[in-house]
Amino acid sequence: MTAATTAIGWIGLGKMGEPMAEHLLAKGYSLRVYDLNPQPVQALVAKGAIACASIAELAAASTVVISIVPDDRVLKSVSEDVLANLAPGATYMDMSTVSPEASVAAGELARQRGVAYICAPVSGSTELARKGVLTVFASGPAEAYQQLETLLSSFAATRHYVGGEHQARYLKLAINHLVGSSAALMAEALSLGRKGGLDWKVMLDVMGNSVIASPLIKYKLDLLASRDFAPAFSAAQMRKDMGLVNQAGQNSGTHMPLAALVAEYFEAYAQQKPDNDFFGLVEAVEAQSDLPPLPRD
């Protein structure tokens, strides 16, 4: 599929979806867009997109429909509308972070309609979305995925094809489990260091040059040092994702007690400060440890 021959419909223009769709326009793709919020729709229309009044209108005019939506409930509604109107032989790719069960339901509808269904959850922050260097984990029919590789390269610098069914959903949740758990472990470790009298920035500097300094930890060091918890990925988003991780573990019979504990951490923190970065969880652990808050730089 080339930019000249592919009619794309894009559903979901939130913090991730809008910049991703913008990269497709910049690459010359014909793009129809739909979102309940008129502002990002208007912004993309100004850059060459075509606004659609409904999902049905968008799907009927597209050979490829892409959605990136908040949760299982929205995916169910959107996928039903898309697949009632998308022509057999077309492709539907969903890039949301949702449960494997919701994905299977959408995939079954697509199979009944004769539509290729690709799971392609995206990994990365809003900043990486703006830069067009996200990571995508994809699964579904191999031929359909291969036809979308060039399209995906418009906004995803790294792309992994991981299987013919819904494997991408499990990989995304497995990685999110590691990401959320890293924040929880870091919060506990830093609080323990403070209890032992360590200077905050000295502690961060040493940790950032130690064996535990993963790319994620290194990326979050400046945020932790300044105590500025403006979100690249919010606590509310991590609450949702860790809830999905915990539920996937239960539904699949996987022994994951740590997932349940981390999900509880984010459930509590997101009730207090949903819009903070998820690494702001350190504030909650400090409070529970009777440590006074540190000043921001």
Side-chain angles (χ1 to χ4, degrees), residues 10-11 32-35 51-60 81 85:
W10 190 285
I11 301 166
R32 286 174 169 80
V33 296
Y34 175 83
D35 195 277
C52 290
S54 68
I55 291 174
E57 176 191 335
L58 178 146
D81 279 356
N85 294 280

Side-chain angles (χ1 to χ4, degrees), residues 169-229:
R169 302 297 189 188
Y170 286 94
L171 181 58
K172 177 64 193 300
L173 294 181
I175 289 173
N176 280 10
H177 182 12
L178 289 167
V179 171
S181 297
S182 293
L185 288 169
M186 194 71 173
E188 291 187 359
L190 290 170
S191 297
L192 178 63
R194 284 192 63 195
K195 282 286 188 176
L198 281 163
D199 177 82
W200 182 250
K201 291 189 176 179
V202 168
M203 182 166 46
L204 289 173
D205 183 61
V206 173
M207 287 183 173
N209 288 283
S210 74
V211 69
I212 60 93
S214 66
L216 172 65
I217 296 298
K218 285 182 176 292
Y219 179 67
K220 293 296 186 180
L221 285 177
D222 287 344
L223 173 146
L224 288 164
S226 66
R227 307 282 297 195
D228 180 1
F229 298 119

Side-chain angles (χ1 to χ4, degrees), residues 18-29 44 128-133 154-155:
E18 182 180 2
M20 292 163 69
E22 188 173 341
H23 285 298
L24 290 179
L25 287 171
K27 292 291 185 179
Y29 284 95
L44 288 177
L128 296 181
R130 286 191 289 271
K131 291 179 178 178
V133 292
S154 301
F155 51 75

Side-chain angles (χ1 to χ4, degrees), residues 129-153:
R130 286 191 289 271
K131 291 179 178 178
V133 292
L134 293 165
T135 297
V136 167
F137 315 114
S139 61
E143 183 178 353
Y145 169 75
Q146 289 164 4
Q147 292 176 346
L148 296 174
E149 262 272 49
T150 301
L151 181 157
L152 288 168
S153 70

